[in-house]
Amino acid sequence: MEAYMVEKEINNSLNEEARRVFDVLWNMTQKHEKTTKSYVNLVYDIIDENYKCFSFEILNKVNKLIPLEWCVNPEIGYVFIPEAQYIKKQNLKRKELYDKKKQTNISIINDVTKLIEKNYKDNKLDNHSIMYFFNYYYYNKHKELDYNYEQIIQLIKTVIKKISKNYKVLQLDPLLLESKN
């Protein structure tokens, strides 16, 4: 048998196996059967033992068989979900995350501002920089946020803007303020 014929036959067998695996997964979806396995593990388990060495190729072929308006469910549960449902879930998660971060940012800004104003009134700025006060709340209470440079700078600018309503900010390192009244 010619080499190209061998490859063609193997490819046809892989296509048939991918179709069989997809049909099993699609039937699970249509029957509203839930799974406790990830999509990749589920596909691997369904693949016939004779084709396990081609599992990655079969997985790719199965993915190409998913109807356009459907997608793989990234969560445990149903195998496939309507893409519109997935997008709606993702948007809701993004909004919840945004709202949580917004509240956290407001909290950081308010807490740092209060700390600086209290220390100024108590005459305890002690030659500390703005970073000292910011770091007190960010690093000690919110380091899991792992903000980047731009995000931290924006928070510090907002703290300074808020402080500037009542005080002149003369210097940031060390922090020097002057009462506006």
mmCIF file of all heavy atoms in Angstrom, residues 33-79:
data_model
loop_
_atom_site.group_PDB
_atom_site.id
_atom_site.type_symbol
_atom_site.label_atom_id
_atom_site.label_comp_id
_atom_site.label_asym_id
_atom_site.label_seq_id
_atom_site.Cartn_x
_atom_site.Cartn_y
_atom_site.Cartn_z
ATOM 1 N N GLU A 33 -27.642 15.684 30.011
ATOM 2 C CA GLU A 33 -26.800 14.936 30.942
ATOM 3 C C GLU A 33 -25.627 15.811 31.360
ATOM 4 O O GLU A 33 -24.977 16.421 30.522
ATOM 5 C CB GLU A 33 -26.262 13.660 30.279
ATOM 6 C CG GLU A 33 -27.307 12.625 29.977
ATOM 7 C CD GLU A 33 -26.713 11.398 29.283
ATOM 8 O OE1 GLU A 33 -25.518 11.105 29.491
ATOM 9 O OE2 GLU A 33 -27.460 10.766 28.524
ATOM 10 N N LYS A 34 -25.387 15.834 32.644
ATOM 11 C CA LYS A 34 -24.255 16.607 33.154
ATOM 12 C C LYS A 34 -23.070 15.672 33.367
ATOM 13 O O LYS A 34 -23.236 14.491 33.616
ATOM 14 C CB LYS A 34 -24.625 17.298 34.465
ATOM 15 C CG LYS A 34 -25.640 18.411 34.277
ATOM 16 C CD LYS A 34 -25.885 19.142 35.574
ATOM 17 C CE LYS A 34 -26.856 20.294 35.344
ATOM 18 N NZ LYS A 34 -27.094 21.038 36.584
ATOM 19 N N THR A 35 -21.885 16.252 33.286
ATOM 20 C CA THR A 35 -20.662 15.509 33.511
ATOM 21 C C THR A 35 -19.879 16.149 34.652
ATOM 22 O O THR A 35 -20.051 17.328 34.932
ATOM 23 C CB THR A 35 -19.790 15.451 32.237
ATOM 24 O OG1 THR A 35 -18.609 14.705 32.526
ATOM 25 C CG2 THR A 35 -19.420 16.829 31.751
ATOM 26 N N THR A 36 -19.053 15.364 35.282
ATOM 27 C CA THR A 36 -18.198 15.885 36.358
ATOM 28 C C THR A 36 -16.756 16.007 35.875
ATOM 29 O O THR A 36 -15.865 16.294 36.655
ATOM 30 C CB THR A 36 -18.247 14.967 37.590
ATOM 31 O OG1 THR A 36 -17.824 13.658 37.203
ATOM 32 C CG2 THR A 36 -19.645 14.917 38.177
ATOM 33 N N LYS A 37 -16.550 15.783 34.589
ATOM 34 C CA LYS A 37 -15.201 15.838 34.018
ATOM 35 C C LYS A 37 -15.057 17.068 33.135
ATOM 36 O O LYS A 37 -16.028 17.580 32.596
ATOM 37 C CB LYS A 37 -14.937 14.595 33.167
ATOM 38 C CG LYS A 37 -14.942 13.317 33.958
ATOM 39 C CD LYS A 37 -14.641 12.146 33.071
ATOM 40 C CE LYS A 37 -14.676 10.875 33.911
ATOM 41 N NZ LYS A 37 -14.337 9.718 33.109
ATOM 42 N N SER A 38 -13.826 17.491 32.969
ATOM 43 C CA SER A 38 -13.558 18.574 32.021
ATOM 44 C C SER A 38 -13.802 18.047 30.613
ATOM 45 O O SER A 38 -13.784 16.833 30.370
ATOM 46 C CB SER A 38 -12.112 19.053 32.152
ATOM 47 O OG SER A 38 -11.222 18.073 31.650
ATOM 48 N N TYR A 39 -14.001 18.949 29.702
ATOM 49 C CA TYR A 39 -14.269 18.589 28.313
ATOM 50 C C TYR A 39 -13.150 17.713 27.745
ATOM 51 O O TYR A 39 -13.403 16.665 27.149
ATOM 52 C CB TYR A 39 -14.443 19.867 27.493
ATOM 53 C CG TYR A 39 -14.586 19.641 26.017
ATOM 54 C CD1 TYR A 39 -15.719 19.048 25.491
ATOM 55 C CD2 TYR A 39 -13.570 20.033 25.143
ATOM 56 C CE1 TYR A 39 -15.853 18.842 24.111
ATOM 57 C CE2 TYR A 39 -13.696 19.839 23.777
ATOM 58 C CZ TYR A 39 -14.832 19.243 23.274
ATOM 59 O OH TYR A 39 -14.958 19.039 21.925
ATOM 60 N N VAL A 40 -11.908 18.117 27.935
ATOM 61 C CA VAL A 40 -10.767 17.377 27.390
ATOM 62 C C VAL A 40 -10.714 15.968 27.963
ATOM 63 O O VAL A 40 -10.529 14.992 27.226
ATOM 64 C CB VAL A 40 -9.442 18.140 27.653
ATOM 65 C CG1 VAL A 40 -8.241 17.313 27.252
ATOM 66 C CG2 VAL A 40 -9.452 19.481 26.923
ATOM 67 N N ASN A 41 -10.897 15.840 29.264
ATOM 68 C CA ASN A 41 -10.871 14.513 29.889
ATOM 69 C C ASN A 41 -12.036 13.651 29.417
ATOM 70 O O ASN A 41 -11.893 12.443 29.226
ATOM 71 C CB ASN A 41 -10.887 14.621 31.413
ATOM 72 C CG ASN A 41 -9.578 15.156 31.950
ATOM 73 O OD1 ASN A 41 -8.544 15.065 31.305
ATOM 74 N ND2 ASN A 41 -9.623 15.724 33.131
ATOM 75 N N LEU A 42 -13.183 14.270 29.241
ATOM 76 C CA LEU A 42 -14.352 13.545 28.763
ATOM 77 C C LEU A 42 -14.108 13.012 27.346
ATOM 78 O O LEU A 42 -14.374 11.841 27.055
ATOM 79 C CB LEU A 42 -15.582 14.453 28.792
ATOM 80 C CG LEU A 42 -16.919 13.817 28.452
ATOM 81 C CD1 LEU A 42 -17.259 12.697 29.430
ATOM 82 C CD2 LEU A 42 -18.010 14.878 28.463
ATOM 83 N N VAL A 43 -13.592 13.850 26.471
ATOM 84 C CA VAL A 43 -13.278 13.416 25.105
ATOM 85 C C VAL A 43 -12.283 12.263 25.144
ATOM 86 O O VAL A 43 -12.468 11.241 24.482
ATOM 87 C CB VAL A 43 -12.737 14.587 24.246
ATOM 88 C CG1 VAL A 43 -12.163 14.084 22.918
ATOM 89 C CG2 VAL A 43 -13.820 15.620 23.996
ATOM 90 N N TYR A 44 -11.235 12.414 25.939
ATOM 91 C CA TYR A 44 -10.217 11.370 26.034
ATOM 92 C C TYR A 44 -10.831 10.049 26.498
ATOM 93 O O TYR A 44 -10.502 8.990 25.968
ATOM 94 C CB TYR A 44 -9.090 11.802 26.974
ATOM 95 C CG TYR A 44 -7.949 10.814 27.004
ATOM 96 C CD1 TYR A 44 -7.006 10.808 25.978
ATOM 97 C CD2 TYR A 44 -7.830 9.893 28.032
ATOM 98 C CE1 TYR A 44 -5.961 9.890 25.984
ATOM 99 C CE2 TYR A 44 -6.791 8.974 28.049
ATOM 100 C CZ TYR A 44 -5.855 8.978 27.014
ATOM 101 O OH TYR A 44 -4.830 8.067 27.021
ATOM 102 N N ASP A 45 -11.715 10.108 27.468
ATOM 103 C CA ASP A 45 -12.353 8.887 27.974
ATOM 104 C C ASP A 45 -13.243 8.214 26.931
ATOM 105 O O ASP A 45 -13.380 6.993 26.926
ATOM 106 C CB ASP A 45 -13.183 9.189 29.226
ATOM 107 C CG ASP A 45 -12.318 9.461 30.441
ATOM 108 O OD1 ASP A 45 -11.079 9.269 30.365
ATOM 109 O OD2 ASP A 45 -12.882 9.891 31.468
ATOM 110 N N ILE A 46 -13.851 9.005 26.062
ATOM 111 C CA ILE A 46 -14.768 8.453 25.065
ATOM 112 C C ILE A 46 -14.017 7.863 23.863
ATOM 113 O O ILE A 46 -14.492 6.928 23.229
ATOM 114 C CB ILE A 46 -15.774 9.535 24.599
ATOM 115 C CG1 ILE A 46 -16.670 9.942 25.773
ATOM 116 C CG2 ILE A 46 -16.636 9.040 23.446
ATOM 117 C CD1 ILE A 46 -17.544 11.149 25.495
ATOM 118 N N ILE A 47 -12.836 8.379 23.585
ATOM 119 C CA ILE A 47 -12.063 7.889 22.435
ATOM 120 C C ILE A 47 -11.765 6.407 22.611
ATOM 121 O O ILE A 47 -11.348 5.954 23.678
ATOM 122 C CB ILE A 47 -10.748 8.689 22.278
ATOM 123 C CG1 ILE A 47 -11.047 10.139 21.898
ATOM 124 C CG2 ILE A 47 -9.836 8.049 21.229
ATOM 125 C CD1 ILE A 47 -9.829 11.044 21.875
ATOM 126 N N ASP A 48 -11.969 5.675 21.549
ATOM 127 C CA ASP A 48 -11.673 4.241 21.521
ATOM 128 C C ASP A 48 -10.192 4.024 21.839
ATOM 129 O O ASP A 48 -9.340 4.803 21.412
ATOM 130 C CB ASP A 48 -12.009 3.696 20.127
ATOM 131 C CG ASP A 48 -11.828 2.195 20.037
ATOM 132 O OD1 ASP A 48 -10.658 1.756 19.904
ATOM 133 O OD2 ASP A 48 -12.845 1.476 20.105
ATOM 134 N N GLU A 49 -9.897 2.952 22.561
ATOM 135 C CA GLU A 49 -8.513 2.651 22.976
ATOM 136 C C GLU A 49 -7.544 2.610 21.788
ATOM 137 O O GLU A 49 -6.377 2.957 21.928
ATOM 138 C CB GLU A 49 -8.461 1.309 23.723
ATOM 139 C CG GLU A 49 -9.129 1.326 25.078
ATOM 140 C CD GLU A 49 -8.471 2.280 26.061
ATOM 141 O OE1 GLU A 49 -7.224 2.392 26.085
ATOM 142 O OE2 GLU A 49 -9.220 2.950 26.799
ATOM 143 N N ASN A 50 -8.026 2.178 20.634
ATOM 144 C CA ASN A 50 -7.158 2.070 19.455
ATOM 145 C C ASN A 50 -6.711 3.431 18.924
ATOM 146 O O ASN A 50 -5.778 3.503 18.122
ATOM 147 C CB ASN A 50 -7.870 1.315 18.329
ATOM 148 C CG ASN A 50 -8.161 -0.119 18.714
ATOM 149 O OD1 ASN A 50 -7.355 -0.764 19.395
ATOM 150 N ND2 ASN A 50 -9.305 -0.616 18.298
ATOM 151 N N TYR A 51 -7.373 4.489 19.351
ATOM 152 C CA TYR A 51 -7.075 5.822 18.825
ATOM 153 C C TYR A 51 -6.521 6.783 19.879
ATOM 154 O O TYR A 51 -6.356 7.969 19.598
ATOM 155 C CB TYR A 51 -8.328 6.439 18.205
ATOM 156 C CG TYR A 51 -8.859 5.644 17.035
ATOM 157 C CD1 TYR A 51 -9.953 4.802 17.174
ATOM 158 C CD2 TYR A 51 -8.250 5.740 15.788
ATOM 159 C CE1 TYR A 51 -10.433 4.069 16.105
ATOM 160 C CE2 TYR A 51 -8.723 5.008 14.705
ATOM 161 C CZ TYR A 51 -9.806 4.178 14.870
ATOM 162 O OH TYR A 51 -10.270 3.460 13.803
ATOM 163 N N LYS A 52 -6.233 6.281 21.077
ATOM 164 C CA LYS A 52 -5.770 7.176 22.158
ATOM 165 C C LYS A 52 -4.516 7.957 21.762
ATOM 166 O O LYS A 52 -4.351 9.102 22.153
ATOM 167 C CB LYS A 52 -5.496 6.393 23.441
ATOM 168 C CG LYS A 52 -6.710 5.767 24.076
ATOM 169 C CD LYS A 52 -7.559 6.762 24.795
ATOM 170 C CE LYS A 52 -8.660 6.012 25.556
ATOM 171 N NZ LYS A 52 -9.632 6.875 26.142
ATOM 172 N N CYS A 53 -3.642 7.336 20.959
ATOM 173 C CA CYS A 53 -2.406 8.039 20.573
ATOM 174 C C CYS A 53 -2.701 9.230 19.658
ATOM 175 O O CYS A 53 -1.852 10.111 19.489
ATOM 176 C CB CYS A 53 -1.416 7.081 19.921
ATOM 177 S SG CYS A 53 -1.997 6.329 18.396
ATOM 178 N N PHE A 54 -3.909 9.297 19.110
ATOM 179 C CA PHE A 54 -4.319 10.411 18.264
ATOM 180 C C PHE A 54 -5.313 11.328 18.982
ATOM 181 O O PHE A 54 -6.047 12.072 18.337
ATOM 182 C CB PHE A 54 -4.981 9.893 16.976
ATOM 183 C CG PHE A 54 -4.048 9.173 16.049
ATOM 184 C CD1 PHE A 54 -4.073 7.791 15.954
ATOM 185 C CD2 PHE A 54 -3.153 9.885 15.267
ATOM 186 C CE1 PHE A 54 -3.224 7.130 15.089
ATOM 187 C CE2 PHE A 54 -2.301 9.229 14.387
ATOM 188 C CZ PHE A 54 -2.330 7.841 14.309
ATOM 189 N N SER A 55 -5.324 11.278 20.297
ATOM 190 C CA SER A 55 -6.359 11.998 21.050
ATOM 191 C C SER A 55 -6.368 13.500 20.757
ATOM 192 O O SER A 55 -7.429 14.107 20.652
ATOM 193 C CB SER A 55 -6.235 11.744 22.548
ATOM 194 O OG SER A 55 -4.986 12.183 23.021
ATOM 195 N N PHE A 56 -5.202 14.111 20.617
ATOM 196 C CA PHE A 56 -5.155 15.545 20.349
ATOM 197 C C PHE A 56 -5.769 15.857 18.985
ATOM 198 O O PHE A 56 -6.546 16.795 18.838
ATOM 199 C CB PHE A 56 -3.717 16.072 20.427
ATOM 200 C CG PHE A 56 -3.619 17.555 20.273
ATOM 201 C CD1 PHE A 56 -4.004 18.397 21.313
ATOM 202 C CD2 PHE A 56 -3.158 18.127 19.094
ATOM 203 C CE1 PHE A 56 -3.934 19.778 21.180
ATOM 204 C CE2 PHE A 56 -3.084 19.506 18.957
ATOM 205 C CZ PHE A 56 -3.472 20.321 19.991
ATOM 206 N N GLU A 57 -5.438 15.053 17.977
ATOM 207 C CA GLU A 57 -5.983 15.247 16.631
ATOM 208 C C GLU A 57 -7.492 15.032 16.637
ATOM 209 O O GLU A 57 -8.247 15.795 16.022
ATOM 210 C CB GLU A 57 -5.302 14.284 15.647
ATOM 211 C CG GLU A 57 -5.740 14.459 14.222
ATOM 212 C CD GLU A 57 -5.376 15.805 13.616
ATOM 213 O OE1 GLU A 57 -4.384 16.429 14.038
ATOM 214 O OE2 GLU A 57 -6.104 16.247 12.708
ATOM 215 N N ILE A 58 -7.939 14.013 17.351
ATOM 216 C CA ILE A 58 -9.379 13.738 17.417
ATOM 217 C C ILE A 58 -10.100 14.874 18.135
ATOM 218 O O ILE A 58 -11.170 15.319 17.698
ATOM 219 C CB ILE A 58 -9.650 12.373 18.076
ATOM 220 C CG1 ILE A 58 -9.153 11.246 17.143
ATOM 221 C CG2 ILE A 58 -11.126 12.189 18.401
ATOM 222 C CD1 ILE A 58 -9.151 9.869 17.749
ATOM 223 N N LEU A 59 -9.527 15.369 19.215
ATOM 224 C CA LEU A 59 -10.109 16.504 19.927
ATOM 225 C C LEU A 59 -10.281 17.699 18.981
ATOM 226 O O LEU A 59 -11.334 18.335 18.964
ATOM 227 C CB LEU A 59 -9.242 16.898 21.128
ATOM 228 C CG LEU A 59 -9.677 18.112 21.921
ATOM 229 C CD1 LEU A 59 -11.012 17.856 22.619
ATOM 230 C CD2 LEU A 59 -8.626 18.489 22.942
ATOM 231 N N ASN A 60 -9.272 17.985 18.179
ATOM 232 C CA ASN A 60 -9.368 19.090 17.210
ATOM 233 C C ASN A 60 -10.473 18.842 16.193
ATOM 234 O O ASN A 60 -11.206 19.757 15.826
ATOM 235 C CB ASN A 60 -8.034 19.302 16.498
ATOM 236 C CG ASN A 60 -7.021 19.992 17.378
ATOM 237 O OD1 ASN A 60 -7.375 20.754 18.262
ATOM 238 N ND2 ASN A 60 -5.752 19.712 17.136
ATOM 239 N N LYS A 61 -10.596 17.612 15.749
ATOM 240 C CA LYS A 61 -11.637 17.275 14.772
ATOM 241 C C LYS A 61 -13.030 17.373 15.406
ATOM 242 O O LYS A 61 -13.971 17.830 14.764
ATOM 243 C CB LYS A 61 -11.400 15.883 14.190
ATOM 244 C CG LYS A 61 -10.187 15.809 13.269
ATOM 245 C CD LYS A 61 -9.949 14.390 12.780
ATOM 246 C CE LYS A 61 -8.741 14.298 11.882
ATOM 247 N NZ LYS A 61 -8.935 14.881 10.565
ATOM 248 N N VAL A 62 -13.161 16.954 16.655
ATOM 249 C CA VAL A 62 -14.439 17.062 17.368
ATOM 250 C C VAL A 62 -14.823 18.535 17.498
ATOM 251 O O VAL A 62 -15.977 18.906 17.260
ATOM 252 C CB VAL A 62 -14.378 16.379 18.757
ATOM 253 C CG1 VAL A 62 -15.589 16.734 19.606
ATOM 254 C CG2 VAL A 62 -14.251 14.866 18.612
ATOM 255 N N ASN A 63 -13.863 19.366 17.843
ATOM 256 C CA ASN A 63 -14.131 20.805 17.991
ATOM 257 C C ASN A 63 -14.678 21.413 16.706
ATOM 258 O O ASN A 63 -15.525 22.308 16.742
ATOM 259 C CB ASN A 63 -12.868 21.553 18.420
ATOM 260 C CG ASN A 63 -12.482 21.269 19.853
ATOM 261 O OD1 ASN A 63 -13.286 20.778 20.640
ATOM 262 N ND2 ASN A 63 -11.241 21.555 20.189
ATOM 263 N N LYS A 64 -14.213 20.934 15.570
ATOM 264 C CA LYS A 64 -14.675 21.453 14.281
ATOM 265 C C LYS A 64 -16.101 21.010 13.963
ATOM 266 O O LYS A 64 -16.739 21.595 13.086
ATOM 267 C CB LYS A 64 -13.726 21.019 13.174
ATOM 268 C CG LYS A 64 -12.374 21.695 13.272
ATOM 269 C CD LYS A 64 -11.409 21.186 12.224
ATOM 270 C CE LYS A 64 -10.041 21.836 12.431
ATOM 271 N NZ LYS A 64 -9.054 21.315 11.498
ATOM 272 N N LEU A 65 -16.593 20.006 14.673
ATOM 273 C CA LEU A 65 -17.950 19.506 14.429
ATOM 274 C C LEU A 65 -19.012 20.236 15.260
ATOM 275 O O LEU A 65 -20.204 20.077 15.011
ATOM 276 C CB LEU A 65 -18.008 17.998 14.730
ATOM 277 C CG LEU A 65 -17.174 17.111 13.802
ATOM 278 C CD1 LEU A 65 -17.134 15.680 14.335
ATOM 279 C CD2 LEU A 65 -17.702 17.155 12.385
ATOM 280 N N ILE A 66 -18.585 21.034 16.213
ATOM 281 C CA ILE A 66 -19.533 21.748 17.079
ATOM 282 C C ILE A 66 -20.277 22.784 16.232
ATOM 283 O O ILE A 66 -19.644 23.581 15.540
ATOM 284 C CB ILE A 66 -18.802 22.435 18.256
ATOM 285 C CG1 ILE A 66 -18.052 21.409 19.094
ATOM 286 C CG2 ILE A 66 -19.790 23.229 19.108
ATOM 287 C CD1 ILE A 66 -17.103 22.016 20.116
ATOM 288 N N PRO A 67 -21.615 22.784 16.282
ATOM 289 C CA PRO A 67 -22.385 23.776 15.501
ATOM 290 C C PRO A 67 -21.984 25.203 15.881
ATOM 291 O O PRO A 67 -21.603 25.480 17.022
ATOM 292 C CB PRO A 67 -23.837 23.491 15.908
ATOM 293 C CG PRO A 67 -23.829 22.087 16.407
ATOM 294 C CD PRO A 67 -22.479 21.865 17.026
ATOM 295 N N LEU A 68 -22.080 26.106 14.920
ATOM 296 C CA LEU A 68 -21.616 27.481 15.100
ATOM 297 C C LEU A 68 -22.230 28.193 16.290
ATOM 298 O O LEU A 68 -21.572 28.976 16.957
ATOM 299 C CB LEU A 68 -21.864 28.295 13.835
ATOM 300 C CG LEU A 68 -20.949 27.970 12.664
ATOM 301 C CD1 LEU A 68 -21.357 28.786 11.445
ATOM 302 C CD2 LEU A 68 -19.498 28.229 13.016
ATOM 303 N N GLU A 69 -23.501 27.978 16.562
ATOM 304 C CA GLU A 69 -24.155 28.707 17.655
ATOM 305 C C GLU A 69 -23.926 28.058 19.024
ATOM 306 O O GLU A 69 -24.478 28.500 20.019
ATOM 307 C CB GLU A 69 -25.650 28.888 17.367
ATOM 308 C CG GLU A 69 -26.446 27.609 17.290
ATOM 309 C CD GLU A 69 -26.395 26.917 15.920
ATOM 310 O OE1 GLU A 69 -25.756 27.410 14.988
ATOM 311 O OE2 GLU A 69 -26.994 25.841 15.811
ATOM 312 N N TRP A 70 -23.094 27.026 19.064
ATOM 313 C CA TRP A 70 -22.785 26.323 20.307
ATOM 314 C C TRP A 70 -21.295 26.428 20.605
ATOM 315 O O TRP A 70 -20.497 26.725 19.729
ATOM 316 C CB TRP A 70 -23.176 24.846 20.204
ATOM 317 C CG TRP A 70 -24.645 24.626 20.189
ATOM 318 C CD1 TRP A 70 -25.489 24.794 19.123
ATOM 319 C CD2 TRP A 70 -25.453 24.234 21.287
ATOM 320 N NE1 TRP A 70 -26.775 24.522 19.493
ATOM 321 C CE2 TRP A 70 -26.792 24.164 20.820
ATOM 322 C CE3 TRP A 70 -25.203 23.923 22.615
ATOM 323 C CZ2 TRP A 70 -27.848 23.805 21.643
ATOM 324 C CZ3 TRP A 70 -26.248 23.558 23.425
ATOM 325 C CH2 TRP A 70 -27.552 23.502 22.946
ATOM 326 N N CYS A 71 -20.935 26.172 21.880
ATOM 327 C CA CYS A 71 -19.524 26.159 22.259
ATOM 328 C C CYS A 71 -19.319 25.162 23.391
ATOM 329 O O CYS A 71 -20.273 24.714 24.027
ATOM 330 C CB CYS A 71 -19.048 27.551 22.660
ATOM 331 S SG CYS A 71 -19.822 28.223 24.132
ATOM 332 N N VAL A 72 -18.071 24.838 23.630
ATOM 333 C CA VAL A 72 -17.728 23.956 24.745
ATOM 334 C C VAL A 72 -17.986 24.717 26.028
ATOM 335 O O VAL A 72 -17.612 25.876 26.168
ATOM 336 C CB VAL A 72 -16.243 23.538 24.665
ATOM 337 C CG1 VAL A 72 -15.825 22.764 25.904
ATOM 338 C CG2 VAL A 72 -15.979 22.737 23.407
ATOM 339 N N ASN A 73 -18.635 24.054 26.963
ATOM 340 C CA ASN A 73 -18.888 24.653 28.267
ATOM 341 C C ASN A 73 -17.578 24.612 29.058
ATOM 342 O O ASN A 73 -17.064 23.529 29.327
ATOM 343 C CB ASN A 73 -19.983 23.876 28.998
ATOM 344 C CG ASN A 73 -20.374 24.488 30.312
ATOM 345 O OD1 ASN A 73 -19.827 25.506 30.723
ATOM 346 N ND2 ASN A 73 -21.318 23.867 30.984
ATOM 347 N N PRO A 74 -17.017 25.759 29.428
ATOM 348 C CA PRO A 74 -15.749 25.755 30.161
ATOM 349 C C PRO A 74 -15.897 25.296 31.617
ATOM 350 O O PRO A 74 -14.904 25.067 32.293
ATOM 351 C CB PRO A 74 -15.288 27.207 30.084
ATOM 352 C CG PRO A 74 -16.536 27.994 29.904
ATOM 353 C CD PRO A 74 -17.485 27.117 29.151
ATOM 354 N N GLU A 75 -17.119 25.164 32.071
ATOM 355 C CA GLU A 75 -17.366 24.738 33.442
ATOM 356 C C GLU A 75 -17.844 23.288 33.444
ATOM 357 O O GLU A 75 -18.290 22.762 32.433
ATOM 358 C CB GLU A 75 -18.423 25.638 34.084
ATOM 359 C CG GLU A 75 -17.984 27.091 34.156
ATOM 360 C CD GLU A 75 -19.096 28.027 34.585
ATOM 361 O OE1 GLU A 75 -20.225 27.557 34.810
ATOM 362 O OE2 GLU A 75 -18.832 29.229 34.672
ATOM 363 N N ILE A 76 -17.770 22.676 34.588
ATOM 364 C CA ILE A 76 -18.279 21.314 34.743
ATOM 365 C C ILE A 76 -19.802 21.382 34.649
ATOM 366 O O ILE A 76 -20.428 22.281 35.188
ATOM 367 C CB ILE A 76 -17.840 20.723 36.108
ATOM 368 C CG1 ILE A 76 -16.301 20.702 36.225
ATOM 369 C CG2 ILE A 76 -18.419 19.340 36.318
ATOM 370 C CD1 ILE A 76 -15.583 19.852 35.214
ATOM 371 N N GLY A 77 -20.390 20.425 33.973
ATOM 372 C CA GLY A 77 -21.842 20.410 33.796
ATOM 373 C C GLY A 77 -22.167 19.872 32.425
ATOM 374 O O GLY A 77 -21.684 18.817 32.028
ATOM 375 N N TYR A 78 -22.954 20.618 31.672
ATOM 376 C CA TYR A 78 -23.281 20.205 30.311
ATOM 377 C C TYR A 78 -22.045 20.306 29.426
ATOM 378 O O TYR A 78 -21.203 21.177 29.627
ATOM 379 C CB TYR A 78 -24.402 21.063 29.739
ATOM 380 C CG TYR A 78 -25.684 20.970 30.533
ATOM 381 C CD1 TYR A 78 -26.205 22.069 31.198
ATOM 382 C CD2 TYR A 78 -26.371 19.752 30.633
ATOM 383 C CE1 TYR A 78 -27.371 21.975 31.942
ATOM 384 C CE2 TYR A 78 -27.535 19.647 31.373
ATOM 385 C CZ TYR A 78 -28.030 20.766 32.031
ATOM 386 O OH TYR A 78 -29.173 20.660 32.764
ATOM 387 N N VAL A 79 -21.960 19.435 28.426
ATOM 388 C CA VAL A 79 -20.796 19.416 27.548
ATOM 389 C C VAL A 79 -20.753 20.670 26.677
ATOM 390 O O VAL A 79 -19.749 21.373 26.639
ATOM 391 C CB VAL A 79 -20.793 18.147 26.660
ATOM 392 C CG1 VAL A 79 -19.575 18.140 25.749
ATOM 393 C CG2 VAL A 79 -20.831 16.884 27.516
#
